[in-house]
Amino acid sequence: MRTRVIAGLLLVPLFILIIFGGTPLYIGEAIIISIALNEFYKAFEQKDIKPLYYIGYIFSIYLLIKNYLQLPISYTYTLIFILFLISIAPILMVKRNIIDIVVTFFGIFYVAVLIDFIVLTMDNFSEGNIYVWLIFIIAFMTDTFAYFAGYLFGKHKLIPKVSPKKTVEGSVGGILGSSLICLVFGYFFKIDLKVILFLGFFGSLVAQFGDLFASSIKRYVGIKDYGKLIPGHGGILDRFDSVILVAPFVYSVITLFIK
């Protein structure tokens, strides 16, 4: 419980940035992504993999510029192509291998591109300042209700080889909790309740996939936490493992069914 309270307090600055929106949010996102990329790349160094950190940092700075200037998606594709060309040079000079490059660009996709959907949800919809909260409601309510349901009723392990403490009962509790809180939110803000229920139910599944996927990476590279932002409580990626997948899910559902 103490860990969850501290983790929640860590997100207060982000929530303040979301309330303000605009340039403060863009700058905050770029900082968060840069820290998260550093954590991601550093984790893979445990496997003697050497990602190109500067490629990831260039992309995070680009996201700040892209969001501020409202650049079209074609600019993103062009930059990724240019960065890929740049990354080929170290391979040809035998200073890096293909796995280093694969991890570099997977980090850009998994961390930078997916987290950026928070800003896209804010900016691309007329009521984005309302919809964006669904990302955090789904992710954090899933985590909270899953924790308590697992603590009170948990008997059957979910996927013990990936995350030994998670239970089937906790998973179900997370889904029910997310669905319930989303329904309350949707009712209050007059959002189609059928869409909201869909978001709450399947978004919770996505959140749990995100959590388990992040855990599987940590288990693969042999670390307990991605970072040491607060000793004993992990880093940015440990706090955002569910949000990373929920953000594009919420954006996609809104695009298909609400916009």
Side-chain angles (χ1 to χ4, degrees):
M1 173 55 68
R2 183 185 174 190
T3 299
R4 280 163 171 74
V5 171
I6 294 176
L9 292 175
L10 281 174
L11 292 165
V12 170
L14 173 62
F15 293 155
I16 293 173
L17 290 174
I18 289 174
I19 292 171
F20 279 100
T23 303
L25 177 60
Y26 305 152
I27 294 173
E29 182 198 56
I31 293 172
I32 288 172
I33 287 174
S34 296
I35 296 173
L37 277 171
N38 181 75
E39 292 175 353
F40 184 82
Y41 291 152
K42 193 171 183 179
F44 277 89
E45 288 184 346
Q46 306 301 313
K47 285 288 187 178
D48 199 30
I49 296 172
K50 300 176 181 179
L52 300 173
Y53 283 70
Y54 64 89
I55 296 291
Y57 296 151
I58 290 173
F59 192 81
S60 66
I61 293 171
Y62 161 76
L63 288 179
L64 168 60
I65 298 170
K66 183 265 293 182
N67 290 326
Y68 181 76
L69 298 179
Q70 299 293 299
L71 299 177
I73 190 67
S74 57
Y75 282 69
T76 303
Y77 296 146
T78 300
L79 177 67
I80 290 175
F81 174 65
I82 292 172
L83 292 177
F84 182 69
L85 290 179
I86 293 173
S87 70
I88 290 176
I91 293 180
L92 298 180
M93 292 186 291
V94 199
K95 293 183 177 181
R96 291 289 195 279
N97 60 51
I98 188 62
I99 301 301
D100 299 332
I101 307 306
V102 169
V103 170
T104 297
F105 281 90
F106 181 71
I108 287 175
F109 170 74
Y110 175 61
V111 177
V113 172
L114 297 189
I115 288 180
D116 190 50
F117 274 95
I118 296 173
V119 168
L120 293 177
T121 302
M122 279 277 292
D123 290 354
N124 287 9
F125 304 114
S126 59
E127 296 185 335
N129 61 326
I130 294 175
Y131 297 147
V132 70
W133 296 106
L134 285 166
I135 296 171
F136 300 100
I137 288 172
I138 292 169
F140 299 143
M141 289 303 101
T142 294
D143 179 65
T144 300
F145 279 86
Y147 172 78
F148 283 109
Y151 179 78
L152 294 172
F153 309 110
K155 293 182 179 179
H156 304 87
K157 298 297 183 181
L158 186 62
I159 309 179
K161 290 185 178 180
V162 174
S163 187
K165 294 183 179 180
K166 288 182 171 54
T167 63
V168 174
E169 292 81 4
S171 176
V172 173
I175 294 171
L176 294 177
S178 170
S179 301
L180 175 62
I181 302 302
C182 280
L183 280 172
V184 173
F185 183 87
Y187 178 81
F188 185 80
F189 286 102
K190 296 179 173 54
I191 305 171
D192 187 327
L193 294 185
K194 293 190 294 295
V195 176
I196 279 291
L197 183 59
F198 181 89
L199 276 166
F201 185 93
F202 289 100
S204 180
L205 289 175
V206 171
Q208 293 182 52
F209 280 142
D211 190 343
L212 290 167
F213 179 66
S215 296
S216 70
I217 293 176
K218 288 188 286 187
R219 184 168 289 273
Y220 171 73
V221 299
I223 60 174
K224 182 178 182 295
D225 296 312
Y226 278 109
K228 297 180 180 179
L229 191 61
I230 289 185
H233 298 286
I236 291 291
L237 278 180
D238 295 292
R239 306 280 68 85
F240 273 72
D241 51 9
S242 299
V243 172
I244 285 176
L245 293 191
V246 171
F249 174 76
V250 169
Y251 180 90
S252 300
V253 171
I254 293 171
T255 300
L256 292 172
F257 301 111
I258 297 180
K259 184 176 179 180

